């Protein structure tokens, strides 16, 4: 098993980050282009705790190294199942995900947590456990795990850049909407 | 918003996603979001998606993954 961990700080409030997180993979993010679709499978608010629970299916298209691609049957489409929990009271978003595709070859479990550091700063924490399951040589397993870890590292850098772009656009659109509303209210008052 | 894995569901998905995002930011995060106002739109989207998942055999993989995720619920569905 290999582990990939990463931490980032975003200079936006937790409310802004947790909202923009729902559209992290929209066209404003021109970095994380390996994510081609995000579908919501179920969603509900727990009446006892107020926690919002969501299930999503994330579809990725990313070419693997040639030797790995042949092991994976030549397809470059893969899918990830994610369950997320938003606790608005303690201001915490937790997202747990695992791979659906290639589940017989490799097991990838990732946990992402967003929590506020201050009123204007939010921390992103990412942990992934990668375990190759393919029988046989330890060398092959190790190589499969290493290739997955380096893919995680590449995607993490792109993910941060792409999400920054989404946050910036979200803030701009929000302030424009507010301005429009104010103009309209002023017009009505006249 | 991001696309659906099924292009034929994109339109209903877009409508649902916009409704949800508005509810999430304007009501839910402000402690006023106990009822789901977007339920009807979600029903349309879900209906479109479910048949595609079945056709592509993804529904079976999802069942297994859901089983695996049950322990996460125990960990994250309670207030700390």
């Amino acid at each position: 098993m290999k582990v990939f961990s990463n931490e980032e700080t975003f200079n936006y409030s937790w409310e802004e980050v947790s909202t923009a997180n729902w559209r992290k993979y929209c066209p404003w993010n021109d970095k994380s282009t390996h994510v081609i679709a995000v579908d919501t499978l179920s969603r509900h608010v727990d009446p006892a705790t107020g926690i919002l629970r969501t299930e999503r299916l994330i579809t990725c298209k990313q070419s693997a190294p040639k030797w790995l691609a042949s092991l994976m049957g030549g397809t470059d489409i893969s899918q990830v199942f994610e369950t997320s929990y938003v606790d608005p009271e303690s201001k915490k978003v937790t997202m747990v995900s695992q791979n659906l595709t290639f589940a017989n070859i490799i097991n990838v479990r990732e946990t992402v947590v967003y929590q506020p550091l201050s009123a204007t700063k939010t921390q992103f924490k990412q942990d992934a456990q990668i375990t190759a399951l393919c029988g046989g040589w330890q060398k092959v397993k190790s190589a499969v795990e290493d290739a997955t870890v380096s893919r995680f590292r590449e995607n993490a850098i792109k993910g941060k850049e792409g999400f920054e772009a989404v946050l910036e656009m979200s803030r701009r659109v929000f302030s424009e909407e507010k301005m429009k509303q104010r103009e309209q209210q002023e017009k009505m008052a006249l | 918003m991001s696309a659906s894995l099924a292009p034929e569901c994109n339109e209903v998905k877009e409508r649902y996603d916009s409704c949800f995002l508005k509810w999430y930011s304007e009501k839910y995060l402000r402690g006023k979001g106990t009822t789901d106002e977007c339920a009807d739109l979600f029903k349309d989207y879900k209906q479109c998606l479910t048949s595609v998942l079945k056709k592509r055999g993804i529904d079976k993989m999802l069942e297994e993954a859901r089983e695996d995720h049950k322990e996460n619920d125990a960990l994250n569905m309670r207030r700390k």
Side-chain angles (χ1 to χ4, degrees):
Chain A
M1 187 188 78
K2 300 264 158 71
V3 174
F4 174 79
S5 303
N6 180 34
E7 266 186 52
E8 304 283 357
T9 303
F10 292 99
N11 291 318
Y12 291 86
S13 69
W14 179 83
E15 284 77 6
E16 279 177 289
V17 171
S18 90
T19 304
N21 181 49
W22 294 118
R23 50 176 170 202
K24 180 170 175 182
Y25 302 112
C26 73
W28 294 342
N29 181 345
D30 59 357
K31 303 285 182 209
S32 306
T33 46
H34 64 288
V35 176
I36 55 169
V38 180
D39 284 283
T40 304
L41 301 169
S42 87
R43 180 171 268 152
H44 75 269
V45 178
D46 183 62
T49 58
I51 291 173
L52 175 71
R53 183 186 186 278
T54 304
E55 289 180 353
R56 298 198 299 180
L57 177 67
I58 295 156
T59 307
C60 305
K61 186 184 167 94
Q62 196 161 39
S63 51
K66 250 194 185 146
W67 63 271
L68 193 57
S70 66
L71 195 67
M72 295 185 160
T75 172
D76 55 357
I77 301 276
S78 61
Q79 275 160 333
V80 171
F81 176 66
E82 171 202 87
T83 310
S84 66
Y85 310 87
V86 180
D87 186 345
E89 201 124 310
S90 64
K91 298 199 179 184
K92 186 178 181 186
V93 176
T94 309
M95 314 172 89
V96 190
S97 55
Q98 74 178 86
N99 59 310
L100 284 184
T101 325
F102 317 125
N104 51 339
I105 303 172
I106 195 163
N107 180 256
V108 182
R109 281 186 152 263
E110 185 195 32
T111 306
V112 167
V113 175
Y114 289 102
Q115 274 184 308
L117 287 173
S118 71
T120 56
K121 277 186 203 297
T122 303
Q123 186 188 46
F124 163 91
K125 257 188 174 177
Q126 175 187 28
D127 276 289
Q129 293 177 353
I130 297 129
T131 315
L133 306 166
C134 38
W137 295 329
Q138 189 55 41
K139 251 190 194 161
V140 176
K141 282 195 206 174
S142 229
V144 169
E145 289 173 353
D146 287 339
T148 311
V149 169
S150 41
R151 186 45 58 78
F152 255 93
R153 197 168 295 127
E154 288 161 28
N155 288 344
I157 298 165
K158 287 191 228 162
K160 153 103 169 137
E161 287 175 6
F163 194 34
E164 286 280 6
V166 174
L167 282 161
E168 197 186 316
M169 272 304 282
S170 300
R171 186 178 276 184
R172 196 182 306 161
V173 168
F174 184 71
S175 70
E176 276 172 9
E177 261 170 37
K178 251 187 166 170
M179 207 137 77
K180 250 189 249 162
Q181 275 177 359
R182 204 175 308 145
E183 273 169 21
Q184 247 169 3
Q185 278 167 353
E186 277 164 15
K187 250 188 228 161
M188 300 263 275
L190 281 176
Chain B
M1 279 298 182
S2 35
S4 169
L5 82 148
E8 61 265 46
C9 305
N10 270 337
E11 215 184 297
V12 276
K13 172 182 164 32
E14 179 79 31
R15 255 183 278 149
Y16 167 69
D17 279 346
S18 328
C19 176
F20 166 74
L21 210 60
K22 199 172 153 63
W23 170 84
Y24 182 83
S25 58
E26 293 176 9
K27 298 202 172 149
Y28 180 69
L29 286 183
R30 295 176 192 180
K32 295 182 282 191
T34 44
T35 53
D36 190 357
E37 297 162 15
C38 310
D40 283 346
L41 290 170
F42 188 66
K43 216 188 273 167
D44 294 344
Y45 166 41
K46 176 109 187 161
Q47 196 178 13
C48 180
L49 191 63
T50 305
S51 66
V52 177
L53 294 180
K54 208 172 270 174
K55 241 184 270 167
R56 299 195 195 174
I58 302 170
D59 55 337
K60 294 230 170 65
M61 289 196 284
L62 280 171
E63 281 310 311
E64 286 171 32
R66 261 194 198 107
E67 278 299 311
D68 279 3
H69 273 222
K70 274 189 179 152
E71 54 194 276
N72 300 318
D73 278 356
L75 217 63
N76 293 296
M77 283 307 282
R78 58 163 188 252
R79 178 149 281 153
K80 272 155 230 145

